[in-house]
Amino acid sequence: MLKRRKPTVYLGADHAAFILKEDLRKHLLRTGYKVVDMGAFDDSPSDYPDFIIPAVEAAMASAGRGVAIVLGGSGIGECIAANKVRGAQAALAYDRYTARMSREHNNANVLCLGARTASGKSAQAKRLVRLWLETPFSGATRHRRRLKKISKYEKST
């Protein structure tokens, strides 16, 4: 069986998710991932686009060798910002099902989590991140067809 290479993980968070980002950063490093921390670097009030957009841009510029995990209070604004970056397929996950499906069916390359939600508890977030990172895209024809339609639209705008 061919072992998949671990992607570089680009992290971005606002002040509301700083502590969770730090927990995930340490966890990812311990489990053998290369991590690029794009901030926030403390819990001072901040604006999530300042950290989310650069993290996602860096992941998209990595030619498929990187993914982004972005965090905020709810994860919603972060997901909206992430999806503005060309090539990003960001998904807000809040349980095992949404984390798995975002990869298996949607080939998401950005995971969005909310630090002030149930998925933001450190142990739960670590489980979701692991599941998300380890779940491959199914490659099923119907999923490829749907993603191709989205990509075609994105290129036309």
Side-chain angles (χ1 to χ4, degrees):
M1 183 173 169
L2 188 61
K3 191 170 186 174
R4 292 187 323 149
R5 190 177 137 288
K6 289 184 175 186
T8 299
V9 178
Y10 294 84
L11 292 176
D14 69 358
H15 64 283
F18 169 72
I19 291 170
L20 180 58
K21 177 192 63 88
E22 288 298 296
D23 286 348
L24 290 175
R25 182 183 61 78
K26 292 171 189 171
H27 173 72
L28 288 164
L29 289 169
R30 277 193 308 270
T31 55
Y33 286 90
K34 179 180 177 191
V35 176
V36 179
D37 186 347
M38 306 292 287
F41 299 106
D42 60 39
D43 61 359
S44 301
S46 60
D47 294 333
Y48 62 84
D50 297 340
F51 304 105
I52 302 322
I53 292 172
V56 176
E57 284 178 332
M60 296 308 100
S62 72
R65 293 184 304 273
V67 296
I69 298 174
V70 299
L71 309 108
S74 69
I76 297 167
E78 294 73 21
C79 195
I80 292 168
N83 275 310
K84 300 300 181 185
V85 176
R86 188 172 295 277
Q89 293 169 182
L92 177 62
Y94 46 86
D95 59 18
R96 293 180 54 79
Y97 179 78
T98 55
R100 190 175 73 252
M101 288 297 104
S102 74
R103 292 286 278 194
E104 195 174 291
H105 289 194
N106 304 114
N107 202 20
N109 51 17
V110 181
L111 174 63
C112 308
L113 295 173
R116 295 177 178 156
T117 69
S119 62
K121 305 305 179 237
S122 185
Q124 172 71 349
K126 289 174 188 172
R127 286 190 292 272
L128 293 179
V129 164
R130 179 179 176 195
L131 175 63
W132 187 80
L133 287 168
E134 293 178 355
T135 300
F137 177 51
S138 74
T141 302
R142 70 183 191 275
H143 302 310
R144 287 187 184 281
R145 181 181 65 245
R146 294 165 186 163
L147 293 172
K148 187 175 179 180
K149 288 178 180 184
I150 294 168
S151 180
K152 182 179 176 185
Y153 174 77
E154 182 180 50
K155 289 176 183 169
S156 75
T157 60

